Amino acid sequence: MPRNLDVALLRAFLTVVETGGVTHAAAALGISQAAVSQQIRRLEEALESRLFEREGRRLALAPAGERLLAQARRMVVQNDELLAAMHTPPFEGEVRLGVPYDIIASIVPPILRGFAKVQPRVRVSLVCEDSRVVRATLRSGGVDLALTTETECGRHGETLRTDRLVWVGAAGGDAHLKDPLPVSLGAPTCVFRPVAIEALGKARRDWRPVCEVSRLEPVYAVLEAGLAVAPLLRSSVPERFEILGREAKLPPLPEFRINLYAPPGLGPAAGDLAEHVRMAFSSRPRGLHNN
């Protein structure tokens, strides 16, 4: 007979991975620690595999858990998309979404793909600028809702995730050893720029600008050539680059918030897209970069 997996068990598994343990997973899911532990045991029994190993006080994925991770993510996302499609009435019209350069490639595509499946008659127009410009465009009515990367969260905003700003360079590169330090910075409106400059100033590290644009294609080109380092959000770093750790002797950078701004009075199509954005973040565990 065919055997079926309970999606709730997969969601519990993913939440433990994302939060790093049963205690935080229980709080995130709104159930008891015992219930989370029981769900993990049921999943291990169904798969006949041990999914976690204990390393000191923390849980780490066992080999079987590593194999399950990507498939579990897909199944939970498909489950959520199916439920959304069946419970969401069809809309027509256009939604204008503002997104900063630094997260558009790493976060936005699966959100728009899922939304297009559920609402094929809604056109989504993207406005891509630095977060400050996106916020200003939202206030002036140029976009209906916006994603931003900021150190704080403003009025009508909600924080979907926090992420560390990190120094990035070419894999095996030596740009971080040069003096003055060659840095690829965003345009004057880039929110990462003043933070990186302040950190370098406090560390009394001499630096020089190499690329001062916010679009990521030139930034990636400079990094790939090994000509500079750049500050990027950890979750957005392409695998071909290297996150520079403490051994690089670069000053630490702060955490940023990924915020959603969905002002009151949104139309039904824009409101549904906002829900898709929230759902995408709630069902997407924080990925760890290979480095």
Side-chain angles (χ1 to χ4, degrees):
M1 289 182 61
R3 299 168 62 193
N4 299 310
L5 277 177
D6 186 344
V7 176
L9 305 184
L10 295 176
R11 195 183 301 277
F13 166 74
L14 291 176
T15 308
V16 171
V17 174
E18 177 182 0
T19 61
V22 171
T23 301
H24 293 303
L29 293 169
I31 59 178
S32 68
Q33 295 181 42
V36 174
S37 298
Q38 184 181 36
Q39 288 179 323
I40 298 300
R41 281 197 298 272
R42 286 174 55 197
L43 183 59
E44 290 180 328
E45 290 170 0
L47 298 176
E48 298 178 351
S49 300
R50 186 174 182 83
L51 301 177
F52 292 99
E53 295 174 345
R54 185 163 293 280
E55 294 182 353
R57 299 181 63 182
R58 63 182 292 273
L59 290 176
L61 283 173
E66 294 279 4
R67 293 198 305 273
L68 175 64
L69 186 58
Q71 296 278 7
R73 285 176 180 164
R74 281 195 288 271
M75 285 190 65
V76 170
V77 168
Q78 288 172 352
N79 172 83
D80 293 345
E81 287 179 349
L82 174 60
L83 288 175
M86 298 305 296
H87 289 92
T88 303
F91 300 123
E92 294 184 358
E94 180 181 11
V95 180
R96 299 162 300 171
L97 173 65
V99 187
Y101 295 108
D102 44 272
I103 60 172
I104 189 164
S106 59
I107 289 177
V108 173
I111 294 174
L112 296 186
R113 187 163 51 245
F115 182 73
K117 290 178 182 177
V118 176
Q119 300 292 359
R121 302 178 72 175
V122 176
R123 300 185 307 277
V124 178
S125 298
L126 279 179
V127 175
C128 192
E129 294 285 355
D130 288 322
S131 288
R132 291 177 183 172
V133 179
V134 168
R135 287 282 307 276
T137 305
L138 179 67
R139 288 192 293 268
S140 66
V143 294
D144 301 301
L145 62 157
L147 280 167
T148 64
T149 47
E150 305 170 278
T151 54
E152 302 295 335
C153 187
R155 188 168 178 260
H156 298 315
E158 55 190 283
T159 298
L160 303 177
R161 174 138 316 163
T162 58
D163 199 0
R164 175 71 59 179
L165 195 66
V166 293
W167 293 106
V168 179
D174 63 354
H176 62 284
L177 300 175
K178 297 178 180 177
D179 189 22
L181 179 73
V183 184
S184 179
L185 294 168
T189 52
C190 175
V191 292
F192 298 162
R193 180 187 177 101
V195 169
I197 292 175
E198 181 182 4
L200 290 168
K202 287 182 177 178
R204 297 184 179 181
R205 181 70 185 268
D206 289 336
W207 62 278
R208 62 180 179 86
V210 174
C211 179
E212 296 184 274
V213 297
S214 297
R215 296 188 311 278
L216 289 179
E217 293 88 346
V219 174
Y220 288 168
V222 168
L223 290 178
E224 206 151 7
L227 300 179
V229 300
L232 298 174
L233 290 179
R234 176 180 287 273
S235 63
S236 72
V237 178
E239 291 188 359
R240 65 184 184 274
F241 298 132
E242 180 180 352
I243 294 176
L244 301 172
R246 293 181 180 177
E247 67 280 0
K249 297 182 179 178
L250 296 176
L253 298 170
E255 283 194 337
F256 270 73
R257 300 170 183 239
I258 299 176
N259 295 327
L260 170 66
Y261 289 89
L266 283 179
D272 192 46
L273 178 55
E275 283 302 316
H276 270 76
V277 172
R278 295 184 184 99
M279 185 172 63
F281 276 86
S282 66
S283 62
R284 176 186 179 191
R286 300 170 190 265
L288 292 179
H289 190 274
N290 288 345
N291 294 298

